Amino acid sequence: MKNKMNIPALLLGVVLAIAGCDSSEQKADDNATAVAEKAVVEAPEFNADSAYNYVAKQVAFGPRIPNTAPHYQTGEYLIGKLKELGAEVQVQNFQMEAYDGKMLNLRNIIASFKPKAANRVLLAAHWDSRPFADKDETNPQEPIEGANDGASGVGILLEIARVLGSAAQKPDVGVDIILFDGEDYGQPEDSGLPYKDDTWCLGAQYWSRNMHTANYRAKYGILLDMVGAENAKFAREGTSMRYAKNVVAKVWRAGNRLGYSDYFKYVDAPGITDDHTYINAWAKIPTIDIIEYNMGATDGDYFGPYHHRHTDTMDIISKKTLKAVGQTVLHVLYNE
């Protein structure tokens, strides 16, 4: 995951975040929704052990850097697994130029459940990993494993795909799972090259301009990014609140009602540039980002002490965190 902070939004967001838990807004949100809400549907069980194994499987291939063998092998695994789980799978093969002029061979992987359903929800994560540990003092030019930054979101989505493909009861909506490539190849601050716009989120940029289905629409989208670390906290990220505040409310309400209030915090965080930025602005699909926010940071590190460092390994992945996020997203799907 990149250095994603939007500086003007960051300055505003810091002020908002200091305010802490907005309990009055939480209560108002719950009360207003309770009046019109239909009977709650119980979603199938999200298996955290299974999700954890999916994360570990990706990491075992090695760093998932475009134009490398581990990247290709991981992509083949993901395509095969999603087909095995019962999805209709499409692959977008494309090339995009990186910040340093290198041409990257990329592919977005799209898995659809109930593909003919008109009412759809988009779920997304990125499956590539950062090609260097640019925040690490040790071996900063070496790639990271990316257990949390990339693999955790994909692991949760694979487990959700397993549930959607195997559960006797299906949600009423169609679901599209998109695994974006080239998200984490963005320009480092110390690259020594002139700054370029839009060097992050290459797969989301491509898909937002070249959707897998003509005139594709989804009711909304949920992006998962860095969603597996132990004791992770998820704040209401600013870009999500700008474009899809009602979706943030829906997801945070679900997480809190399911007992995951330690994870889904009623705290506002600065807006960032992530895959959902392009889905919102270019594809015009209201999309939120569930992404870890380091609330206790005093050094301005938005994403935590393992971000873009060699400590982003399976050692920091927590089954409890995977469960909190995965069960919440499943609940939201089954209650559409």
Side-chain angles (χ1 to χ4, degrees):
M1 187 54 45
K2 56 194 128 342
N3 296 326
K4 296 178 173 168
M5 282 164 273
N6 178 306
I7 298 301
L10 172 62
L11 297 176
L12 173 61
V14 168
V15 176
L16 295 173
I18 292 174
C21 178
D22 190 349
S23 59
S24 61
E25 184 173 345
Q26 176 184 354
K27 291 176 181 178
D29 175 51
D30 286 346
N31 292 338
T33 305
V35 175
E37 192 173 67
K38 62 184 180 181
V40 173
V41 176
E42 184 174 353
E45 190 74 10
F46 180 90
N47 189 320
D49 291 329
S50 176
Y52 182 91
N53 290 335
Y54 287 138
V55 177
K57 178 68 175 181
Q58 295 170 78
V59 173
F61 283 107
R64 302 168 302 283
I65 303 167
N67 297 356
T68 67
H71 178 264
Y72 176 80
Q73 293 160 359
T74 306
E76 291 296 289
Y77 163 74
L78 295 172
I79 293 166
K81 177 58 66 175
L82 287 165
K83 289 179 178 178
E84 176 189 318
L85 295 174
E88 180 180 288
V89 178
Q90 299 179 58
V91 179
Q92 287 185 325
N93 293 286
F94 60 101
Q95 291 185 319
M96 288 188 73
E97 185 177 305
Y99 71 92
D100 57 0
K102 182 181 295 184
M103 191 60 66
L104 303 179
N105 299 304
L106 305 172
R107 51 182 167 172
N108 292 330
I109 301 167
I110 303 105
S112 298
F113 293 88
K114 298 178 68 172
K116 295 183 179 179
N119 191 20
R120 312 199 64 75
V121 173
L122 169 63
L123 306 179
H126 75 90
W127 68 274
D128 63 307
S129 59
R130 185 73 166 155
F132 20 69
D134 45 316
K135 285 189 175 181
D136 211 318
E137 295 181 0
T138 303
N139 299 322
Q141 297 304 315
E142 296 296 317
I144 66 171
E145 293 187 15
N148 193 37
D149 194 355
S152 63
V154 174
I156 288 175
L157 293 185
L158 287 177
E159 172 57 15
I160 288 176
R162 188 195 66 78
V163 172
L164 295 177
S166 63
Q169 180 189 8
K170 313 290 186 185
D172 290 337
V173 294
V175 178
D176 300 295
I177 293 173
I178 303 186
L179 307 182
F180 290 118
D181 202 354
E183 190 272 355
D184 235 343
Y185 215 103
Q187 183 173 4
E189 292 182 2
D190 61 353
S191 69
L193 298 171
Y195 173 77
K196 290 185 179 181
D197 290 324
D198 299 321
T199 63
W200 302 93
C201 310
L202 301 180
Q205 290 184 49
Y206 182 85
W207 179 84
S208 295
R209 297 295 199 202
N210 305 273
M211 295 186 190
H212 64 286
T213 299
N215 302 315
Y216 174 80
R217 296 305 303 165
K219 186 176 181 181
Y220 59 85
I222 301 173
L223 174 66
L224 306 182
D225 201 349
M226 293 195 287
V227 285
E230 186 173 6
N231 298 319
K233 309 298 180 189
F234 307 110
R236 302 182 300 187
E237 180 270 338
T239 304
S240 305
M241 292 292 281
R242 175 186 174 189
Y243 286 99
K245 185 176 182 179
N246 62 323
V247 183
V248 175
K250 181 198 299 279
V251 174
W252 260 244
R253 183 168 59 248
N256 278 264
R257 289 182 176 179
L258 290 172
Y260 301 124
S261 59
D262 285 347
Y263 298 90
F264 290 91
K265 310 301 290 186
Y266 281 90
V267 170
D268 293 326
I272 58 174
T273 300
D274 202 351
D275 287 326
H276 71 315
T277 303
Y278 299 96
I279 301 173
N280 279 303
W282 294 3
K284 307 299 183 184
I285 297 172
T287 301
I288 71 167
D289 195 359
I290 302 178
I291 187 166
E292 183 173 0
Y293 178 53
N294 189 13
M295 296 183 189
T298 58
D299 58 0
D301 197 340
Y302 189 111
F303 303 110
Y306 29 75
H307 181 240
H308 290 179
R309 295 178 174 90
H310 293 299
T311 47
D312 187 359
T313 68
M314 290 302 298
D315 290 341
I316 69 170
I317 301 299
S318 163
K319 294 179 182 180
K320 290 182 179 180
T321 305
L322 297 173
K323 173 72 172 181
V325 176
Q327 195 68 60
T328 296
V329 174
L330 267 182
H331 178 89
V332 170
L333 291 178
Y334 272 79
N335 283 276
E336 275 302 321

